[in-house]
Amino acid sequence: MDIDRELKKRQLKVTPQRQAILKVLSQSDAFINAQNLYTKVLEVLPGTNFSTVYRNLDTLVSKDLLCRISRENGGDLYKIRSEEGHHHHVICKGCGATIVIEFCPMDTIREKLEDVGFVPTDHRFEIYGYCKKCKDKSMGNI
Ligand SMILES: [Zn+2]
Ligand SMILES: [Zn+2]
Ligand SMILES: [Zn+2]
């Protein structure tokens, strides 16, 4: 990806930290947690502090440059956003495989929120469980 162009396209300032984060993430197609990401960012840009990276991750997610999923035991995972349009991910507790879900629960809730005058600014949607492969495996063990 052309990192500078993607940042500018979203009216984001091109900073060394953002370049480093996106460079690290663009090297893999899998979700990576913030701590591992931070370690790799340090290799590209020594001296970066964790809170700066964390803050930038938030910004990049809000600008649709990154996908984020939360795990039930805490610790968010990030990757470069490759899907078009609004979507969510579910993650398998067994193998860590992720599946893209086109459905958004906000579509059904939005009207109810409007009724009570609540304006949602952002949301997360999390489902935990096992993928088909892991489910079959555990069934076989019984
Ligand atoms: Zn995604
Ligand atoms: Zn699995
Ligand atoms: Zn949604």
Side-chain angles (χ1 to χ4, degrees), residues 1 3 16-28 37 40-41 43-45 60 66 80:
M1 77 190 278
I3 290 169
Q17 290 82 8
R18 286 171 183 166
Q19 286 173 320
I21 291 169
L22 291 170
K23 190 173 168 209
V24 167
L25 284 171
S26 65
Q27 282 159 2
S28 117
L37 173 69
K40 290 185 176 167
V41 165
E43 288 167 17
V44 182
L45 196 69
L60 297 172
L66 303 182
I80 298 274

Side-chain angles (χ1 to χ4, degrees), residues 91-98 129-135 137:
I91 182 167
C92 173
K93 293 200 284 187
C95 66
T98 57
Y130 295 98
C131 74
K132 190 172 181 329
K133 234 170 40 198
C134 291
K135 195 192 70 193
K137 215 191 294 170

Side-chain angles (χ1 to χ4, degrees), residues 50-63:
F50 186 69
S51 61
T52 306
V53 170
Y54 208 77
R55 227 183 15 251
N56 274 303
L57 285 172
D58 254 357
T59 307
L60 297 172
V61 168
S62 72
K63 292 287 185 179

Side-chain angles (χ1 to χ4, degrees), residues 5-99:
R5 209 189 62 197
E6 291 298 321
L7 286 169
K8 285 181 193 146
K9 216 164 80 185
R10 290 166 175 82
Q11 269 91 46
L12 288 169
K13 224 164 68 194
V14 178
T15 66
Q17 290 82 8
R18 286 171 183 166
Q19 286 173 320
I21 291 169
L22 291 170
K23 190 173 168 209
V24 167
L25 284 171
S26 65
Q27 282 159 2
S28 117
D29 202 34
F31 278 91
I32 169 171
N33 72 45
Q35 194 57 52
N36 284 348
L37 173 69
Y38 177 58
T39 308
K40 290 185 176 167
V41 165
L42 282 181
E43 288 167 17
V44 182
L45 196 69
T48 312
N49 69 54
F50 186 69
S51 61
T52 306
V53 170
Y54 208 77
R55 227 183 15 251
N56 274 303
L57 285 172
D58 254 357
T59 307
L60 297 172
V61 168
S62 72
K63 292 287 185 179
D64 289 341
L65 262 166
L66 303 182
C67 287
R68 170 172 60 197
I69 42 181
S70 310
R71 290 181 302 176
E72 58 182 344
N73 55 355
D76 293 341
L77 302 172
Y78 300 87
K79 80 170 184 67
I80 298 274
R81 176 171 169 154
S82 50
E83 302 88 359
E84 293 287 321
H86 186 78
H87 65 279
H88 292 273
H89 293 266
V90 297
I91 182 167
C92 173
K93 293 200 284 187
C95 66
T98 57
I99 300 168

